[in-house]
């Protein structure tokens, strides 16, 4: 029981928003005349118990409340600017079910230019009595502060501090208040060839002078220019003018934001922006305008060494025709191919065959096509002639970045190398490193220096820094240099890493330090202000101001990130519905309004411009029947497009278990719930999860979830710090009338990182669906999985079948498999690269998790598996790189072919003990080299079934080529290199 009460009635939770110092005496007349400065302000706490988050403390309701997760505890209200305080009012629910209690409270404050809290009212006991003071106390305070903190030391009614409502009464201190007004543009009706200037007025409406700052102007939610704003006396105004250049045809919301980096402390920080009531309309200029719509290749999926030819679709979006003879050019790698374009009428599209061919290189390349490459045509826009896409060849994804390992770089530090068994879960940094090696920087001046191999304007750093002493992570910086010149500080964090415990159950791990640790690494990324050429020496160096006690650098990704994409014709920006980029305010309501407008046919497409957009609730379809948070209706018939995964980023700051009004506790408070025909592309979704389930089952949420249905396509989406990246499928019992399993769902270009469970899971009868050309790193369960579960409408029909995982790159799953198939038929695992699994196989077929049976054929073909397999379940079960585990049902019809299994931790291919048969397994054209602590192929003592080997090469295995353990009922026909199976 969490509180004392007089009856057995239940008490609902409260939302806390703002915290301030509170006095616990009857409210004085002067306090009643003052303003409640806490209402609607951010509130944070040292910790919260269960479903009683800090946000409940200032939500205007006394039937919800905050409760701390122990004592002492503190709750802080961020007023935003200095205020002169008179009192703090602390309330509990006045209902008699809340029995009398006494709470020991100290009130502290911190000024807007201060760094530490000082006491405003010493610790004292305050009595709450529903029949006496109506469970309300007032604490007189005197001081000028911007942050007010209540520190709780004791509570006779509960093991933690409790507040239903907190009010901070006082008046704002003198401060500036910057506003924007009178936005306009010239020319008033521009065309695509006109240079546009946006003009406005900045006014200081406050009671004190303001220092110099800047104003940013945005079109369609994208910042396109800025202007300086000089110091302003109280009440003074200044005109501003920003040249925003030429803009493509379309409709643009126009907004301006003064003091965009929040460097000026203001009495009201919520009124710094202004958006015009009417959009800027840019008309099309007369004349031709060529653009590339698509690139097709023949063959579409070439093998390494194949000759590939290309066709480019060129469209004339202009108002007049283009004569024949312009050059359409395609570049791929170091190859340049040209084609002659026929005449194209206004509004028409033609397919241009470019001459010559390209010899397909392993890993693929980027195709870039340019219309009017010789600049023969004077066009209304010269900025839209180029189009690029990836072509995938051989194994793995054609990722747009170059990955460089720290151990292969130049460094001054300590090289970390894993032990022979790559032991996991005991604070083993090297085991959790790519390639099982990384570099540790202990001292100032130590560094890792990478030499780039391609032009780059961004960096991703996979790193580990220490946890905070009490858990929860800490922040630190490391210094980035390019060719010896300082570039910038890279912000690192351990907030999302460092899980503790000895349990094999990931839900049993905790964020509280103690004992063994795992999930030691996380990633930080930065978009640089310029492009650095190939051959640049990028150095990550520990300078004197970089104050973590150690840094471990595993790898970096260097990428040439394209400029933000322009708003497509027909798409309407979320800014039209009230969202504002980069302001830290929750944009969920605006995003939901835009999605609903698209779903109901009022707009054609939702545009998420470049910027940081805060999202604290999942986007779904409002359920008019209000069937509760566990029965969700996903979106359908929706198209959502962004300016690129590096540019259009959705993020959440609130862990799902602390998000009041969460849509669905398991699926979290961010991302999208999808039911049918939804296309999402070119955005990022960053969650706030820090754990999979421990510490109160505080899961990290799912970025994309739902039934998915038909015609859903997701491309170029970056997902990070979620519990699960994508979970496709719902149980039939969840709104049976909406049963709609995924069918033909496609994922391409996905970038999923640092999850606490699966990357993408095809569950609940998902069929005919694909994950292609995507990359996964540091997932906390299967990076990719088909789970043909039984929670479906018809178990004879709703089987997970004919799904394909093709040309994906999977690295460093810290729990479970690279790719797993649990039941079903016709599923394929082809052309993937999988490396460095912590404790499970690279690929597993299994009948645990109670799936529907395997039947028909399952194909594992042309995969490359490096340093995979591991030990789990008390470190007693050793898994091979490929493992078949028929726990209670047979696994028939498996083909493993054209695959390299290199440097496995234990066995190369393993047939595991279980209750089912593994019949007629075919292993063809497979190379197994260096099974470090096992055999090339192992049939365990309880294994049953048979396999046939054809053209199988096994070398350098500790326990021999093929080992059939005593008691096994498994037979192997054929032998590698003429060797016989051993028993």
């Amino acid at each position: 029981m969490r509180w004392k009460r007089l009856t057995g009635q239940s008490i609902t939770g409260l939302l806390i928003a703002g915290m301030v110092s509170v006095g616990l005496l009857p409210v004085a007349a002067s306090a009643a005349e003052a303003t409640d400065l806490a209402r609607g302000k951010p509130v944070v706490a040292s910790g919260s118990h269960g479903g009683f988050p800090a946000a409940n403390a200032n939500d205007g309701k006394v039937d919800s409340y905050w409760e701390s997760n122990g004592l002492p505890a503190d709750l802080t209200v961020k007023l935003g600017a200095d205020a002169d305080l008179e009192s703090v009012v602390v309330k509990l629910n006045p209902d008699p079910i809340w029995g009398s209690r006494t709470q020991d409270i100290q009130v502290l404050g911190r000024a807007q230019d201060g760094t530490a809290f000082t006491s405003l009212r010493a610790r004292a006991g305050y009595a709450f009595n529903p029949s006496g003071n109506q469970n309300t106390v007032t604490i007189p305070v005197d001081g000028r502060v911007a942050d007010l903190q209540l520190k709780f030391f004791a509570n006779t009614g509960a093991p933690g501090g409790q507040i239903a409502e907190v009010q901070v009464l006082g008046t704002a201190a003198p401060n500036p208040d910057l506003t924007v007004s009178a936005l306009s543009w010239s020319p008033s009706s521009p065309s695509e060839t006109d240079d546009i200037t946006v003009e406005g007025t900045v006014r200081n409406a406050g009671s004190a002078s303001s220092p110099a700052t800047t104003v940013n102007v945005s079109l369609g939610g994208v910042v396109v220019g800025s202007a300086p704003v000089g110091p302003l006396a109280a009440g003074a105004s200044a005109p501003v003018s920003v040249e925003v250049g030429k803009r493509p045809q379309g409709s643009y919301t126009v907004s301006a934001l003064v003091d965009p980096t929040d460097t000026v402390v203001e009495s009201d920080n919520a009124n710094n922006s202004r958006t015009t009531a009417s959009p800027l309309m840019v008309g099309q200029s007369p004349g031709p305008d060529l653009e590339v719509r698509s690139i097709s290749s023949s063959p579409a999926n070439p093998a390494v060494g194949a000759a590939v030819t290309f066709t480019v679709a060129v469209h004339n979006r202009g108002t007049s025709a283009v004569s024949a003879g312009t050059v359409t050019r395609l570049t791929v790698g170091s190859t340049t191919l040209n084609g002659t374009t026929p005449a194209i009428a206004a509004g028409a599209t033609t397919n241009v065959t470019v001459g010559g061919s390209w010899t397909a290189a392993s890993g693929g390349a980027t195709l870039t096509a340019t219309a009017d490459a010789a600049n023969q045509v004077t066009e209304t826009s010269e900025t839209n002639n180029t189009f690029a896409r990836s072509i995938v060849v051989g194994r793995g994804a054609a990722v747009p970045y170059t990955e460089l390992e720290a151990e292969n770089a130049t460094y001054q530090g300590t090289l970390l190398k894993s032990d022979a068994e790559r032991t996991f879960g005991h604070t083993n940094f090297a085991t959790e490193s790519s390639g099982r090696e990384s570099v540790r920087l202990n001292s100032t001046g130590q560094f890792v220096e990478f030499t780039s191999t391609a032009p780059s304007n961004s960096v991703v750093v996979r790193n580990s820094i220490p946890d905070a002493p009490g858990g929860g992570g800490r922040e630190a910086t490391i210094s980035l240099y390019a060719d010896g010149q300082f570039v910038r500080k890279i912000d690192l964090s351990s907030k999302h890493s460092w899980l503790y415990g000895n349990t094999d159950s990931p839900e049993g791990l905790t964020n509280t330090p103690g004992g063994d640790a795992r999930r030691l690494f996380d990633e930080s990324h930065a978009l640089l202000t310029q492009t650095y050429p190939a051959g640049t020496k990028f150095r990550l160096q520990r300078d004197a101001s970089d104050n973590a006690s150690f840094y471990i650098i595993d790898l970096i990704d260097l990428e040439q990130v394209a400029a933000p994409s322009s708003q497509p014709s027909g798409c309407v920006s979320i800014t039209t519905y009230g969202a504002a980029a980069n302001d830290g305010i929750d944009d969920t309501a605006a995003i939901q309004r835009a999605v609903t407008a698209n779903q109901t046919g009022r707009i054609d497409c939702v545009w998420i411009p470049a910027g940081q957009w805060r999202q604290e609730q999942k986007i779904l379809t409002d359920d008019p029947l209000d069937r509760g948070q566990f029965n969700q209706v996903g979106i359908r018939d929706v198209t959502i497009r962004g300016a690129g995964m590096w540019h259009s980023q959705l993020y959440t700051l609130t862990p799902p278990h602390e998000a009041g009004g969460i849509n669905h506790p398991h699926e979290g408070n961010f991302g999208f719930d999808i039911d049918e025909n939804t296309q999402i592309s070119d955005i990022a979704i960053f969650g706030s999860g820090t754990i999979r389930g421990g510490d109160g089952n505080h899961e990290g949420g799912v970025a994309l979830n739902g039934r998915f249905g038909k015609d859903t396509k997701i491309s170029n989406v970056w997902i990070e710090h979620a519990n699960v990246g994508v979970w496709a499928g719902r149980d039939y019992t969840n709104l049976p009338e909406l049963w709609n399993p995924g069918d033909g769902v496609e994922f391409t270009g996905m970038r999923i990182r640092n999850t606490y469970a699966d990357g993408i899971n095809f569950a609940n009868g998902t069929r005919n669906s694909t994950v292609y050309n995507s990359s996964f790193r540091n997932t906390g369960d299967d990076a990719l999985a088909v789970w043909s579960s039984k929670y479906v409408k018809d178990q004879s029909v709703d089987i997970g079948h004919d799904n394909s995982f093709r040309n994906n790159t999977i690295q460093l799953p810290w729990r479970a498999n690279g790719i797993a198939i649990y039941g079903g038929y016709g599923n394929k695992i082809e052309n993937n690269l999988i490396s460095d699994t912590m404790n499970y196989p690279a690929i597993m077929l299994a009948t645990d998790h109670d799936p529907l049976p395997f039947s028909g054929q399952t194909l594992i073909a042309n995969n490359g598996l490096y340093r995979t397999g591991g030990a789990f379940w008390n470190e007693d079960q050793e898994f091979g790189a490929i493992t078949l585990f028929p726990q209670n049902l047979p696994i028939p019809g498996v083909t493993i072919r054209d695959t390299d299994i290199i440097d496995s931790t234990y066995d190369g291919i393993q047939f595991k003990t279980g209750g089912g048969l593994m019949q007629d397994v075919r292993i063809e054209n497979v190379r197994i080299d260096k099974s470090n602590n096992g055999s090339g192929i192992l049939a365990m003592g309880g294994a049953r079934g048979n396999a046939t080997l054809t053209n199988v090469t096994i070398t350098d295995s500790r326990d021999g080529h093929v080992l059939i353990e005593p008691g096994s009922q498994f037979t192997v026909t054929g032998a590698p290199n003429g060797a016989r199976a051993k028993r």
Side-chain angles (χ1 to χ4, degrees):
M1 184 176 294
R2 303 297 298 175
W3 54 81
K4 293 184 178 179
R5 57 188 183 182
L6 301 180
T7 74
Q9 300 176 22
S10 63
I11 299 177
T12 60
L14 267 177
L15 294 170
I16 304 177
M19 283 225 51
V20 289
S21 308
V22 180
L24 300 174
L25 301 176
V27 179
S30 61
E33 298 169 359
T35 302
D36 178 13
L37 304 169
R39 187 66 182 274
K41 297 297 175 59
V43 60
V44 295
S46 56
S48 300
H49 167 69
F52 311 109
N56 288 358
N58 68 340
D59 62 352
K61 298 182 291 185
V62 294
D63 59 348
S64 65
Y65 64 99
W66 165 73
E67 182 172 334
S68 69
N69 57 351
L71 293 168
D74 56 69
L75 184 75
T76 303
V77 178
K78 297 180 177 295
L79 304 179
D82 277 348
D84 294 320
L85 304 188
E86 296 182 10
S87 63
V88 177
V89 180
V90 179
K91 297 181 180 182
L92 295 178
N93 194 330
D95 193 298
I97 64 173
W98 279 74
S100 299
R101 71 204 63 217
T102 297
Q103 300 194 73
D104 285 4
I105 305 173
Q106 179 187 11
V107 183
L108 304 98
R110 178 171 58 193
Q112 63 190 30
D113 57 356
T115 58
F117 282 92
T118 59
S119 182
L120 303 179
R121 175 69 65 172
R123 172 180 174 178
Y126 297 93
F128 295 78
N129 188 316
S131 61
N133 60 10
Q134 296 296 298
N135 270 346
T136 298
V137 295
T138 300
I139 307 174
V141 293
D142 184 15
R144 177 173 288 183
V145 301
D147 296 323
L148 187 132
Q149 185 177 91
L150 299 181
K151 189 175 288 291
F152 292 79
F153 297 92
N155 184 353
T156 61
Q162 294 171 311
I163 297 178
E165 281 296 300
V166 60
Q167 297 174 332
V168 180
L169 302 180
T171 57
N175 266 309
D177 182 18
L178 297 173
T179 64
V180 180
S181 61
L183 280 182
S184 62
W185 52 84
S186 61
S188 58
S189 299
S191 69
E192 294 174 298
T193 55
D194 291 323
D195 288 310
I196 302 169
T197 300
V198 175
E199 299 170 336
T201 300
V202 174
R203 179 173 183 266
N204 178 6
S207 54
S209 61
S210 63
T213 182
T214 59
V215 62
N216 284 352
V217 169
S218 297
L219 297 183
V222 178
V223 176
V224 293
S226 63
V229 178
L232 292 174
S237 299
V240 291
S241 178
V242 178
E243 296 180 357
V244 300
K246 297 178 177 66
R247 296 287 132 183
Q249 178 190 16
S251 172
Y252 300 88
T253 56
V254 180
S255 59
L257 174 65
V258 64
D259 189 33
T261 58
D262 287 335
T263 55
V264 179
V265 178
E266 302 179 59
S267 57
D268 184 355
N269 206 41
N271 62 352
N272 287 26
S273 65
R274 170 76 54 154
T275 300
T276 59
S278 300
L280 163 65
M281 304 297 296
V282 178
Q284 185 175 9
S285 296
D289 186 15
L290 296 177
E291 62 181 4
V292 176
R293 287 288 181 86
S294 65
I295 306 170
S296 58
S297 61
S298 179
N301 297 296
V304 175
V308 186
T309 59
F310 302 96
T311 300
V312 177
V314 179
H315 175 72
N316 179 6
R317 66 174 291 274
T319 61
S320 58
V322 175
S323 301
T326 63
V327 175
T328 297
R329 179 169 296 153
L330 183 139
T331 61
V332 50
S334 59
T335 301
T336 299
L337 307 174
N338 292 311
T340 301
T341 312
I344 310 177
T349 301
T350 188
N351 289 321
V352 180
T353 301
V354 296
S357 64
W358 169 69
T359 302
S362 179
T366 298
L367 307 175
T368 302
T370 304
D372 189 29
N375 293 319
Q376 298 164 261
V377 180
T378 300
E379 303 179 63
T380 58
S381 174
E382 298 286 356
T383 64
N384 60 351
N385 288 25
T386 300
F387 174 85
R389 75 168 180 86
S390 296
I391 185 169
V392 183
V393 180
R395 295 171 179 164
V399 295
Y401 53 83
T402 301
E403 186 174 296
L404 302 173
E405 298 279 354
E407 64 269 24
N408 298 328
T410 301
Y411 60 85
Q412 287 183 7
T414 303
L415 179 65
L416 305 181
K417 303 179 100 174
S418 64
D419 61 283
E421 294 186 345
R422 297 162 180 162
T423 308
F424 169 72
H426 303 282
T427 323
N428 303 102
F429 293 101
T431 293
E432 294 195 35
S433 299
S434 174
R436 313 292 183 162
E437 294 182 344
S438 54
V439 174
R440 180 177 177 126
L441 309 180
N442 287 320
S443 306
T444 299
Q446 292 187 327
F447 64 86
V448 183
E449 187 172 83
F450 307 84
T451 301
S452 67
T453 59
S456 309
N457 64 358
S458 71
V459 62
V460 174
V461 182
R462 187 169 194 265
N463 70 92
S464 180
I465 62 172
D467 195 2
R474 58 155 297 178
E475 280 70 48
T477 59
I478 195 165
S479 301
L480 176 66
Y481 292 81
D483 291 334
Q485 297 298 310
F486 177 77
V487 175
R488 58 167 292 169
K489 295 287 190 181
I490 303 294
D491 295 319
L492 311 181
S493 175
S494 54
K495 175 182 178 180
H496 301 283
S497 50
W498 292 91
L499 299 180
Y500 302 89
N502 297 316
T503 175
D504 289 325
S505 168
E507 284 80 7
L509 297 172
T510 175
N511 290 131
T512 303
D516 293 328
R518 67 197 71 192
R519 201 187 188 284
L520 304 171
F521 285 85
D522 199 42
E523 297 179 16
S524 296
H525 61 274
L527 193 59
L528 308 179
T529 58
Q530 69 180 77
T531 294
Y532 293 87
T536 298
K537 296 183 182 299
F538 288 101
R539 174 178 291 196
L540 293 170
Q541 180 168 292
R542 179 176 180 170
D543 287 347
S545 57
D546 303 324
N547 58 10
S549 59
F550 66 80
Y551 296 80
I552 298 175
I553 307 300
D554 182 23
L555 58 83
I556 66 169
D557 295 335
L558 297 175
E559 180 177 354
Q560 181 63 27
V561 178
S565 300
S566 299
Q567 181 173 343
S569 177
C571 287
V572 177
S573 173
I574 58 175
T575 59
T576 302
Y577 295 88
N582 311 315
D583 64 355
I585 298 173
D586 188 5
D587 295 304
T588 301
I591 299 170
Q592 181 67 69
R593 286 192 290 269
V595 169
T596 299
N598 184 200
Q599 185 167 334
T600 55
R602 299 197 300 274
I603 63 175
D604 294 333
C605 166
V606 176
W607 172 244
I608 301 180
Q612 303 283 326
W613 310 90
R614 185 175 176 186
Q615 180 196 357
E616 297 292 359
Q617 292 287 289
K618 192 174 290 291
I619 303 302
L620 36 69
T621 296
D622 289 336
D623 183 3
L625 300 181
D626 193 20
R627 285 168 285 199
Q629 63 179 347
F630 293 94
N631 295 294
Q632 296 301 302
V633 181
I635 61 177
R636 60 177 56 230
D637 305 320
V638 170
T639 298
I640 300 168
R641 299 181 65 179
M645 63 169 63
W646 276 89
H647 301 293
S648 300
Q649 299 185 345
L650 304 177
Y651 72 97
T652 175
L653 296 179
T654 308
H657 65 276
E658 293 183 2
I662 187 171
N663 304 127
H664 192 299
H666 175 73
E667 292 166 352
N669 57 319
F670 61 97
F672 299 86
D673 192 320
I674 299 169
D675 267 8
E676 174 97 346
N677 185 29
T678 294
Q679 289 78 49
I680 302 176
S681 61
D682 301 298
I683 65 171
I685 303 173
F686 293 152
S688 59
T690 61
I691 199 166
R692 173 159 170 170
D695 292 341
N697 201 32
H698 295 166
E699 294 185 40
V702 184
L704 301 174
N705 62 272
R707 299 171 181 87
F708 279 81
K710 293 184 178 181
D711 301 318
T712 291
K713 295 177 173 58
I714 314 295
S715 62
N716 303 324
V717 175
W718 184 347
I719 297 172
E720 196 153 352
H721 299 147
N723 198 50
V724 173
V726 178
W727 190 276
R730 283 194 183 275
D731 295 356
Y732 172 67
T733 55
N734 185 279
L735 302 183
E737 65 272 25
L738 296 181
W739 171 250
N740 192 26
D743 190 346
V745 181
E746 296 179 8
F747 293 90
T748 60
M750 303 295 289
R751 189 178 300 191
I752 296 181
R753 303 282 188 269
N754 305 306
T755 64
Y756 297 89
D758 302 67
I760 298 178
N761 194 309
F762 286 163
N764 301 87
T766 301
R767 74 287 305 265
N768 305 312
S769 296
T770 302
V771 181
Y772 170 70
N773 194 31
S774 299
S775 65
F776 303 79
R777 193 155 63 205
N778 204 36
T779 57
D781 213 305
D782 302 326
L784 291 168
V786 173
W787 181 27
S788 188
S789 60
K790 293 180 177 179
Y791 312 120
V792 295
K793 181 178 181 180
D794 185 344
Q795 294 185 6
S796 67
V797 174
D798 297 318
I799 300 169
H801 69 83
D802 292 298
N803 299 295
S804 174
F805 299 137
R806 182 165 49 90
N807 283 101
N808 302 292
T809 296
I810 297 169
Q811 301 167 278
L812 297 152
W814 66 269
R815 169 70 164 86
N817 309 280
I819 301 178
I821 307 291
Y822 305 102
Y825 65 86
N827 297 301
K828 298 177 181 180
I829 303 171
E830 299 180 279
N831 308 343
N832 302 285
L833 289 175
I834 307 175
S835 60
D836 298 310
T837 58
M838 296 297 106
N839 45 43
Y840 255 58
I843 298 172
M844 175 180 264
L845 309 184
T847 60
D848 57 347
H849 304 302
D850 193 28
L852 296 172
F854 279 91
S855 62
Q857 298 293 312
T858 302
L859 176 63
I860 302 171
N862 196 35
N863 299 287
L865 316 179
Y866 299 89
R867 301 174 300 277
T868 59
F872 207 60
W873 304 115
N874 198 36
E875 300 178 12
D876 292 331
Q877 291 196 33
E878 299 168 354
F879 292 96
I882 298 177
T883 296
L884 274 60
F885 178 31
Q887 184 188 47
N888 49 16
L889 294 169
I891 302 180
V894 177
T895 296
I896 303 170
R897 61 173 173 80
D898 306 318
T899 291
D900 293 309
I901 305 172
I902 310 299
D903 198 9
S904 302
T905 304
Y906 292 99
D907 308 299
I909 299 175
Q910 183 185 92
F911 299 101
K912 200 170 180 61
T913 296
L917 290 170
M918 294 165 279
Q919 295 174 300
D920 302 323
V921 179
R922 293 186 296 167
I923 305 175
E924 304 169 353
N925 302 320
V926 171
R927 178 170 69 103
I928 302 173
D929 179 59
K930 197 180 181 184
S931 298
N932 287 275
N933 305 289
S935 54
I937 297 174
L938 170 69
M940 298 178 68
R944 299 189 300 138
N946 64 286
T948 300
L949 310 185
T950 303
N951 193 26
V952 174
T953 300
I954 301 177
T955 54
D956 199 16
S957 297
R958 187 194 69 177
D959 296 338
H961 295 334
V962 179
L963 176 61
I964 301 175
E965 291 183 339
S968 176
Q969 300 178 47
F970 197 90
T971 61
V972 174
T973 302
N977 297 328
R980 295 181 179 180
K982 295 183 179 180
R983 290 185 179 269

